[in-house]
Amino acid sequence: MPDTELISLSDIARLANVQRPVVSVWRSRSKSSPAPFPEPATRNGTQEFFDATEVVAWLETTGRGNNAHIAEDMTAHTLGARADFIPVSALLTLYAMSGERLSDLDYEDLLDLADETDPEDAFIYSEIEALDQASLSLVKYTERLIDAAFGVVPAFEQLMADRFRLNNPELAECALSDSALQIAATAALEISSKSLCFTENTPGGSDLLITVAKLLGESTLGTFLVPEKSTADTVISRLALRRLRTHCAAQENIALIRPDGSQRGVVHLAQYPGPDDPQMSFATILDSIEELVLQLQQDERAIILAPASLLINQLDSSELEGARSAILRSGRVRAAVRLPRGLVVSKPQQALGFWVVGPEPTSVPLGERGVLIADLLDQTIDDSVMGDLATDLAASLGGLESIRRHAFRFAQLMKTSTILASKSGLIPEAKTTFQLLAGSYSNSAEALVRTEAALDEANRTAERRPELEIPLQARAAEYNAGPQTVLRTVAELQQAGAIRHLPGTRILEGDLAPENSTGVKVWQAEDLAEGTATRTIPALALAAKYPRAKLTEPGDIVFHGGPHPVARVDAEGAAAVRFPAQILRVDQQSVHGIVPLLLAADISRGAIGHWKRWGVRTVPSDQVSALTAALLKVYSEKQAAEERLKRLEEFSNRLVGGITNGELEMMKTNTSTEGRP
């Protein structure tokens, strides 16, 4: 350590056990007093550092602060003490595991105790051995830290909380916010088996398991699997193991054991990159994820956190795209979520991706396998969101029937084959392109929407006959003769002034009139699926109680978000809209080609994420009718194919039941002249 021990204003506050602003007040108010606050000894940029000895003398002279052991604690709060982060953590673990009062031991006894506690030198022996006689003052500081924090576990967590203040960039760079940790831990508990067995695959990580331990409380029994000797025996990995051992020694309901292959239903938690390798490349991350996925037993699960730009978004590199696609083809990625930005503390603009990995759904045909996707990019994370997301993710591990029965709040199922073919990421990008046809516009929007719906319904009824399935856009493209059109997001159209958003009104249930009563029509979220508003509110009550309520105009789109968005065009207008239903108003003079009926149909056909991110078609006026004609042609082909199939089935049934040779020849002739399906 330097001859002059330096201390910052924040460290002075910690030493004196006061809030940081208090020190600034002391400094300013004492300037003209007989005992002014010491002047800075040096500066590093704008940060000032003070001679620790002068500060302690000033605190003792003036009686400031709430620490009766200021002189004894000084060394632990100086810049030099920041290098003691590692040995203090080792002493805390030794204290937790041995139960001994370490200040009663001399250096040799302390070393013997460390050897007895960690005979394989997996987590503390080397750190204790590195102490010398001069450093033994840290032992007393460690015990005071435990007393001040009311326990060894809170003391260790206080030490870990200093990762952003201390010179530990590896720990700080990958640190997740409490919300991110809570999301992962809550989901891990939700998908775990009765054994409640967890392990962390994050290189050098411990945050995820510690959060699981906190959620388990002090009564629920849990098991953590951590090797006694880390395969990457680094400073960070040893610190992670010390932290886990400290928690498990103090928390009797958690066992920390070495995996021996007998554990069942293990939940693996992993964050990439981790503290051991904060600069891990995307290629290395995907290799690590693939290795983890391939090693999972059929009864094991995994929670994986990594940048959304890698796990969720479209990838620019064909090599990365190929590596991610290979993992998806395994069928074990059961859910994928894009989380909000700001969950990585040091990277507030980075969005996190979240995968749930489970057993391969062998009972589901390859073509029917899918991934539950959810976009929470614009969500505010609270207890309700975390709880509902966890149940959605747990449902993703079931079969198709259980998925269909579950009422998802955030997620919806997307076929894996569709994701791989789209080349636009696991969650579709807001901007995609598709083909529309040239022609003339003649009020064909409604025909187009109804044709699309009829074609979708025909495809759903033909699921048992894959050869009859006619993908909408693929077949429409066969008739292509026109330019490409960009799918715009609602946010882009709103920014361009083509769409206005009007919030719904929080109308109380008691203010609504009974059904079929006179008054102002009220759109509710539950009305949108049916397409008819069934409730009203007296006009006087609306004016008196809700003077700021927005009424619809003819052509407004009334919509409701959530996992299954739905929207309707209000052709009449003059209706109130009850929150959570909301309004999108199209500028009729806009040159952006917005057709309200198409916009509502695009929302109802599977919009994903926050409403501002919904992608909707903008249709040049000369293209709608021609596309309608093309889709009608496709639909007629579908009907013809189904009719031929029906005739063949009748032929087969009658053949089994017994028919005359004459009937048989007649049916064969009829079928052959119409062509085979």
Side-chain angles (χ1 to χ4, degrees), residues 43 67 77 85 141 161 171 269 295 389 476 540 561 639 659:
R43 286 180 172 83
N67 183 1
H77 289 81
F85 176 87
Y141 164 69
L171 291 174
L269 297 103
Q295 289 180 353
L389 177 62
L540 291 177
Q639 288 181 310
I659 57 176

Side-chain angles (χ1 to χ4, degrees), residues 4 55 66 132 157 240 244 270 277 309 315 382 399 420 487 503 539 575 586 655:
T4 300
V55 170
N66 301 308
D132 53 27
E157 290 309 298
L244 290 170
D277 189 4
S309 54
L315 294 170
D382 55 23
L420 295 175
L487 195 66
V586 177
L655 186 62

Side-chain angles (χ1 to χ4, degrees), residues 104-186:
D104 294 337
L105 306 177
D106 59 22
Y107 177 73
E108 294 300 328
D109 291 337
L110 187 67
L111 199 59
D112 289 342
L113 182 61
D115 185 31
E116 180 182 334
T117 305
D118 180 23
E120 297 181 6
D121 190 17
F123 51 95
I124 62 169
Y125 181 78
S126 291
E127 289 78 5
I128 301 298
E129 186 182 35
L131 293 173
D132 53 27
Q133 292 291 341
S135 301
L136 288 180
S137 61
L138 289 175
V139 174
K140 292 184 178 180
Y141 164 69
T142 301
E143 291 187 347
R144 286 197 298 272
L145 186 64
I146 294 170
D147 292 340
F150 301 102
V152 64
V153 168
F156 206 112
E157 290 309 298
Q158 179 179 322
L159 198 68
M160 292 300 295
D162 277 349
R163 70 183 81 180
F164 302 104
R165 183 177 67 91
L166 304 180
N167 188 25
N168 286 291
E170 300 90 349
L171 291 174
E173 188 168 348
C174 299
L176 299 177
S177 71
D178 185 62
S179 293
L181 295 172
Q182 291 287 331
I183 289 172
T186 302

